[in-house]
């Protein structure tokens, strides 16, 4: 067991929490849950930043005290994190008594190092950012990086000798290439420092809402000296040496890219001055945009975090935010994409796998976990090896700070388990009376589902717990990755209890011409959802009946329209590793658009001109925002690749296959 300390920024309480605050904290929460499953002693810190000129002015505008204002606004952040069921170990506030004491000691140490001196500050200051800017960083009276209005400030101030730490900082970047990630962000910071650092004004005298400068209470400390120090307050700096040694330096500071300079330049310089170790890593994530536009209060396009938490199940929201974009990239929030991710991946892949496997276990083997057997069949061994490979790949993805990759591997393994069921056909084994083989295949499928539940727990914790409860596993110990070191840890004879619908299918966002539907009263929606779930369960039961025989009615077959289509164009779908966008002639006046998951098997140019079998009467579906109007048929080859059902020129385009 090791110790693991991770933090979010502390959030400035000048407004309501939004999707950006939720995103950062959900990222950190996923890492915290993951490290706890690995057996680490984790300390996860978040909280609020409550001092500064901006707060004082906002309170004055409202006619209340700054303390009253920050109490109100900090409570909203705490409320959001409780609603999101985040697992932080402390919610710190910069108005906390222990924090004020730590800041005073921090500044005293910086002063003892000879790094603080009194002078006069003249320059530009943006109260909205609580940041100083050089002339080169300003245009039309605003900071070019943030758009915040700046004001000229002249006052006596204490300065920190930031310039003294330019070379030590560059040495730190060079000797610790992973200290700032993504690498592009590290390069930005290094370039900024290489351009030369000016000493930093760290006190103000024109307002009073802040922590006083030690021995000079007429000065209030600069908010970033105050705020950044929270990271060591929370682990007992200068007060609890044993605790401080246990958790400091922090393993990860998760931050937004807009505050990278404060964390990757000022903070390590402060720590060097105070003689304290530097954090191990700073991870800067990108921004969520709304319709491709950066969110801001002035534009009125900020996505409210409380509304999101109300609109979607928490597992679905967490999955979408962590799956949709790499941590370092910007991304556009899209309700359509939330629905697509939920329906195609959570519901159709994992949800369907769990539902059908529990149903078959109940119907074919009496509803309890069978005894595991030695693996001798190649497909059983391959499934176990796929589980080990998924575990290792997800572990590496966490190490690389690539949660979207971790979820790709999770989904790939779930697909593999679905394919295993299709290949082994438990319903046929049951019909043929091959009880021993039937029990073995269902044991392997159930054990795979247990692995999926554990590996998914940092992302979809509620669904994971429901699945494990289906195996009678309800303690924290059952979430431990220790149980993933070996295969076949499900105890034989345990009664199974189906977890029910894990992920309900979501309706696509309502178009404008469906305004009546969109305006349906809120209290009607849960009822509609429940009814839909009932239909799903009923449909699932009918599906189980079919699986018991493996046969369908002839009428069912004739409903499927399969035609020969010719691929006219093919190209990759941006942002999707597995998808190609095709246009195809299926014998109609206009070509159809098809989104096919065959990008890993075929280069686009290989497909143009081919005549292949296509299902042409499926309901259109949107994938990555592209409407797909048919489906190409393919089969997996013995070496794991794909082969298309092809026809030569003797078969005319549009010919129906029967």
């Amino acid at each position: 067991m090791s110790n693991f300390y991770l933090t979010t920024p502390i959030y400035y309480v000048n407004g309501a929490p939004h999707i950006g605050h939720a995103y950062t904290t959900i990222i950190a929460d996923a890492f915290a849950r993951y490290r706890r499953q690995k057996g680490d002693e984790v300390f996860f810190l978040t909280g609020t930043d409550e001092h500064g000129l901006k707060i004082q002015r906002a309170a004055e505008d409202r006619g209340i005290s700054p303390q009253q204002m920050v109490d109100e606004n900090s409570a909203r952040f705490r409320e959001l994190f409780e609603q999101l069921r985040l697992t932080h170990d402390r919610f710190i506030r910069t108005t906390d008594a222990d924090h004020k004491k730590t800041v005073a000691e921090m500044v005293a140490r910086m002063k003892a190092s000879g790094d603080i001196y009194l002078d006069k500050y003249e320059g530009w200051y943006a109260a909205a950012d609580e940041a100083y800017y050089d002339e080169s960083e300003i245009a039309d009276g605003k900071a070019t990086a943030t758009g915040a209005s700046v004001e000229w400030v002249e006052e006596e101030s204490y300065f920190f000798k930031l310039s003294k730490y330019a070379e030590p900082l560059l040495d730190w970047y060079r000797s610790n290439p992973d200290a700032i990630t993504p690498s592009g962000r590290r390069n930005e910071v290094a370039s900024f420092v290489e351009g030369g650092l000016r000493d930093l004004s760290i006190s103000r005298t024109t307002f009073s809402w802040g922590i006083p400068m030690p021995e000079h209470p007429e000065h209030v400390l600069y908010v970033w000296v105050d705020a950044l120090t929270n990271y060591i307050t929370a682990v007992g700096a200068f007060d609890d040496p044993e605790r401080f040694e246990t958790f400091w330096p922090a393993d990860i500071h998760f931050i937004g890219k807009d505050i990278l300079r404060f964390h990757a330049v000022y903070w390590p310089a402060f720590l060097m001055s105070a003689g304290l170790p530097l954090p191990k890593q700073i991870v800067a994530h990108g921004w969520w945009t709304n319709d491709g536009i950066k969110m801001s209060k002035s534009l009125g396009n900020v996505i409210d975090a409380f509304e999101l938490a109300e609109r979607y199940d928490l597992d679905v929201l967490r999955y979408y935010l962590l799956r949709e974009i790499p941590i370092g990239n910007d991304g556009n929030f899209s309700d359509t994409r939330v629905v697509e991710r939920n329906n195609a991946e959570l519901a159709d892949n994992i949800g369907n796998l769990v539902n059908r496997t529990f149903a078959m276990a109940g119907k074919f083997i009496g509803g309890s976990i069978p005894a595991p057997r030695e693996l001798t069949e190649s497909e059983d061994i391959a499934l176990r090896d796929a589980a080990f490979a998924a575990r290792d790949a997800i572990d590496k993805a966490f190490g690389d700070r690539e949660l979207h990759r971790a979820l790709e591997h999770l989904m790939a393994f779930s697909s593999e388990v679905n394919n295993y069921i299709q290949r082994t056909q438990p319903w046929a084994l049951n019909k043929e009376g091959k009880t021993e083989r039937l029990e073995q295949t269902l044991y392997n499928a159930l054990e795979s589902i247990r692995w999926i539940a554990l590996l998914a727990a940092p992302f979809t914790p509620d669904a994971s717990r429901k699945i494990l409860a289906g195996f009678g596993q309800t303690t924290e110990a059952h979430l431990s990755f220790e149980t993933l070191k070996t295969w076949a840890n499900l105890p034989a004879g345990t009664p199974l209890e189906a977890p029910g619908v894990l992920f309900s299918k979501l309706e696509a966002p309502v178009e404008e011409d469906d305004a009546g539907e969109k305006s349906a009263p809120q209290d009607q929606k849960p009822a509609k959802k429940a009814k839909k779930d009932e239909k799903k369960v009923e449909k699932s039961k009918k599906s189980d009946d079919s699986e018991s025989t493996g046969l369908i009615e002839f009428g069912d077959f004739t409903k499927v329209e399969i035609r020969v289509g010719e691929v006219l164009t093919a190209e990759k779908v941006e942002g999707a590793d597995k998808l190609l966008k095709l246009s195809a002639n299926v014998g109609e006046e206009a070509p159809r658009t098809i989104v096919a998951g065959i990008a890993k098997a075929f280069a686009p140019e290989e497909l143009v001109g081919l005549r292949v079998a296509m299902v042409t009467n499926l309901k259109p579906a949107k994938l990555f925002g592209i409407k797909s109007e048919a489906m190409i048929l393919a089969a997996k080859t013995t070496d794991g690749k794909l082969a298309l059902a092809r026809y030569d020129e003797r078969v005319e385009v549009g010919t129906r296959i029967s």
Side-chain angles (χ1 to χ4, degrees), residues 290-477:
N290 190 348
D291 290 331
I293 300 172
K294 182 185 173 186
M295 286 178 263
S296 74
K297 286 193 288 187
S298 59
L299 293 175
N301 65 344
V302 175
I303 296 176
D304 185 283
F306 287 99
E307 289 181 7
L308 276 183
E310 287 292 329
R311 195 184 313 164
Y312 297 110
D313 287 343
L314 292 183
D315 278 357
V316 176
L317 179 61
R318 289 172 65 98
Y319 181 82
Y320 170 73
L321 292 176
L322 301 176
R323 173 77 168 94
E324 187 70 1
I325 58 171
I327 284 179
N329 291 10
D330 291 343
N332 185 49
F333 188 87
S334 162
D335 287 300
T336 299
R337 295 290 300 138
V338 177
V339 172
E340 289 174 353
R341 289 288 189 196
N342 174 76
N343 292 357
E345 298 180 4
L346 293 176
D348 284 349
N349 193 333
I350 292 180
N352 184 51
L353 169 66
V354 173
N355 185 50
R356 69 192 304 211
T357 305
F358 272 77
M360 287 188 289
K363 185 171 294 184
F364 300 153
I365 59 173
S368 61
I369 298 172
R373 290 177 170 81
E374 182 181 356
L375 302 185
T376 56
E377 299 288 336
S378 61
E379 56 201 359
D380 297 351
I381 295 170
L383 181 68
R384 179 203 60 192
D385 291 348
F388 288 150
R391 176 200 61 193
D392 295 345
I394 289 170
D395 192 58
K396 182 178 185 304
F398 268 95
D400 293 340
R401 317 309 185 211
E402 293 186 327
L403 296 188
H404 70 295
R405 293 281 181 220
L407 287 167
E408 282 181 8
H409 294 302
L410 177 69
M411 279 300 151
F413 177 53
S414 182
S415 297
E416 187 59 37
V417 184
N418 273 307
N419 291 336
Y420 172 81
I421 291 174
Q422 289 304 117
R423 287 194 298 271
T424 55
Q425 299 192 351
W427 52 90
L429 296 172
N430 178 63
K431 184 177 181 182
E432 294 163 8
K434 298 178 178 177
T435 305
E436 190 170 308
R437 181 60 183 150
L438 170 66
E439 290 181 351
Q440 184 163 25
T441 56
L442 285 179
Y443 183 90
N444 291 336
L446 291 166
E447 171 72 350
S448 298
I449 288 171
R450 187 184 70 84
W451 278 59
I452 289 170
L454 265 67
L455 294 171
F459 309 100
T460 55
D462 291 345
S464 291
R465 288 186 183 278
K466 287 179 185 175
I467 293 171
L468 292 178
F471 297 126
Q473 300 186 347
T474 56
T475 69
E476 290 300 313

Side-chain angles (χ1 to χ4, degrees), residues 270-289:
F270 296 163
L271 290 167
M272 289 179 191
S273 176
L276 297 175
L278 308 189
K280 295 176 185 174
Q281 190 173 54
I282 299 165
V283 178
H285 66 72
W287 288 330
W288 284 97
T289 60

Side-chain angles (χ1 to χ4, degrees), residues 158 204-205 207-208 210-221:
Y158 282 94
R204 301 290 304 276
T205 58
F207 67 94
S208 60
I211 297 177
M213 180 83 181
E215 302 177 3
H216 302 279
E218 70 277 16
H219 287 255
V220 169
L221 283 167

Side-chain angles (χ1 to χ4, degrees), residues 118-169:
L118 183 65
D119 204 336
K120 183 178 180 182
Y121 178 77
E122 293 183 355
W124 295 104
Y125 188 76
D129 298 334
E130 296 288 8
Y132 302 98
Y133 288 103
D134 290 333
E135 194 75 40
S136 61
E137 298 175 295
I138 296 168
D140 299 326
K142 295 184 178 180
T144 52
T146 64
S149 297
V150 296
E151 56 189 304
W152 185 257
V153 174
E154 292 184 19
E155 61 183 322
E156 183 183 75
S157 173
Y158 282 94
F159 282 76
F160 171 69
K161 291 182 180 177
L162 184 62
S163 58
K164 170 182 169 182
Y165 292 95
E167 278 306 316
L169 284 168

Side-chain angles (χ1 to χ4, degrees), residues 22-95:
Y23 179 54
T24 315
T25 320
I26 286 173
I27 291 174
D29 185 72
F31 273 88
R33 290 174 186 266
Y34 175 74
R35 299 298 300 210
R36 292 185 188 113
Q37 286 184 268
K38 288 176 72 74
D40 292 344
E41 185 178 353
V42 173
F43 188 73
F44 169 19
L45 176 71
T46 190
T48 47
D49 178 8
E50 304 183 0
H51 290 129
L53 175 61
K54 188 163 49 176
I55 296 294
Q56 181 169 314
R57 286 179 174 172
E60 290 169 354
D61 290 343
R62 290 182 56 191
I64 60 176
S65 70
Q67 187 64 58
Q68 184 179 349
M69 179 173 158
V70 298
D71 286 346
E72 291 177 3
N73 290 355
S74 179
R76 290 290 286 164
F77 281 87
R78 191 188 291 269
E79 183 183 337
L80 173 67
F81 296 164
E82 288 174 359
Q83 188 168 340
L84 293 173
R85 296 202 291 278
L86 302 177
T87 59
H88 45 284
D89 296 289
R90 179 174 174 181
F91 186 97
I92 194 171
R93 301 177 59 183
T94 54
T95 51

